[in-house]
Amino acid sequence: AQSVSQHNHHVILSEAASLELGCNYSYGGTVNLFWYVQYPGQHLQLLLKYFSGDPLVKGIKGFEAEFIKSKFSFNLRKPSVQWSDTAEYFCAVTLNTGNQFYFGTGTSLTVIP
Amino acid sequence: KAGVTQTPRYLIKTRGQQVTLSCSPISGHRSVSWYQQTPGQGLQFLFEYFSETQRNKGNFPGRFSGRQFSNSRSEMNVSTLELGDSALYLCASSAGTGGGNSPLHFGNGTRLTVT
């Protein structure tokens, strides 16, 4: 079975610090990769996605992610976090053969003003 | 365009009862998926429907079932509720017909509490 690992369960940063959240997946074939964010009390929203092409993708609110195929990774980054980035972040993978999304267990980010 | 709508927002049920949750997808989306979200477990996939047919199913017991109507609206049913079924149930719709490259659009969820 496919799996998605997010090793950082809870991250606490001060404002202006840089952020990197790890995401690794287990499937060796062609994948589509996503990062979703869930702000407190809100629904899950798409941050960014990767299907093909440039492995460095940019999303909303200054987030970016880099797909490294050899490492089966799709880490999320932001150079300078803000208090408003406090949220839960989920990495997700789909296979080109189907429409089922596989989600990681999520990383809770707390940004201290 | 209206987003994914889930009703009700909150439910409190007693063990042994059954419950039905409803989801209206974004207009034009034919794929509807359901997820169970609990702290520490993330999002667990329940099932996906496309054009009234169940296309994928997760590893949940048969007490969890769903269906999709011709207008793409979907319902999820849980019978013989257990305390462990307490969770946030999320519905997501997608424009995808297959191939996995259409993002999911999520509703706000239904918070089910089983006492």
Side-chain angles (χ1 to χ4, degrees):
Chain A
Q2 320 312 327
S3 68
V4 179
S5 299
Q6 292 182 244
H7 303 294
N8 315 104
H9 298 295
H10 195 175
V11 173
I12 301 173
L13 293 173
S14 298
E15 271 192 319
S18 65
L19 170 72
E20 180 160 3
L21 302 182
C23 173
N24 290 90
Y25 61 93
S26 66
Y27 185 64
T30 302
V31 295
N32 305 297
L33 299 155
F34 305 81
W35 274 97
Y36 281 85
V37 61
Q38 189 173 33
Y39 297 106
Q42 296 188 27
H43 63 276
L44 277 151
Q45 303 169 39
L46 180 68
L47 260 183
L48 47 79
K49 58 186 184 290
Y50 171 80
F51 298 149
S52 63
D54 188 344
L56 183 63
V57 293
K58 295 191 184 300
I60 60 171
K61 303 187 181 187
F63 286 91
E64 65 180 29
E66 185 175 13
F67 170 51
I68 303 179
K69 190 174 182 179
S70 60
K71 294 185 178 180
F72 301 91
S73 70
F74 190 55
N75 292 354
L76 181 71
R77 300 196 292 246
K78 185 171 184 179
S80 176
V81 294
Q82 302 172 314
W83 174 79
S84 58
D85 293 325
T86 294
E88 189 136 19
Y89 294 80
F90 294 91
C91 179
V93 171
T94 66
L95 312 179
N96 264 4
T97 55
N99 208 43
Q100 182 173 342
F101 277 66
Y102 299 90
F103 281 87
T105 52
T107 297
S108 175
L109 172 66
T110 301
V111 180
I112 302 169
Chain B
K1 225 182 213 183
V4 177
T5 304
Q6 291 187 247
T7 56
R9 289 294 307 276
Y10 302 93
L11 267 177
I12 300 175
K13 291 286 187 178
T14 306
R15 269 180 302 177
Q17 288 186 312
Q18 74 164 18
V19 67
T20 299
L21 314 182
S22 181
C23 173
S24 293
I26 290 173
S27 177
H29 285 189
R30 291 158 65 191
S31 169
V32 174
S33 302
W34 288 89
Y35 290 83
Q36 181 193 68
Q37 185 179 10
T38 53
Q41 295 290 320
L43 278 75
Q44 303 291 310
F45 174 71
L46 282 154
F47 26 68
E48 185 222 356
Y49 287 87
F50 181 82
S51 291
E52 302 179 67
T53 301
Q54 188 180 86
R55 192 158 64 171
N56 289 297
K57 189 177 190 306
N59 295 323
F60 277 80
R63 301 185 296 106
F64 292 81
S65 63
R67 59 179 175 168
Q68 187 181 33
F69 302 95
S70 58
N71 61 359
S72 292
R73 191 176 70 83
S74 177
E75 286 183 348
M76 189 191 99
N77 185 77
V78 188
S79 61
T80 320
L81 284 165
E82 300 177 0
L83 292 179
D85 297 332
S86 294
L88 181 66
Y89 289 88
L90 296 171
C91 171
S93 73
S94 164
T97 56
N101 57 6
S102 292
L104 295 176
H105 299 263
F106 285 88
N108 285 319
T110 294
R111 172 76 63 187
L112 172 64
T113 302
V114 183
T115 62

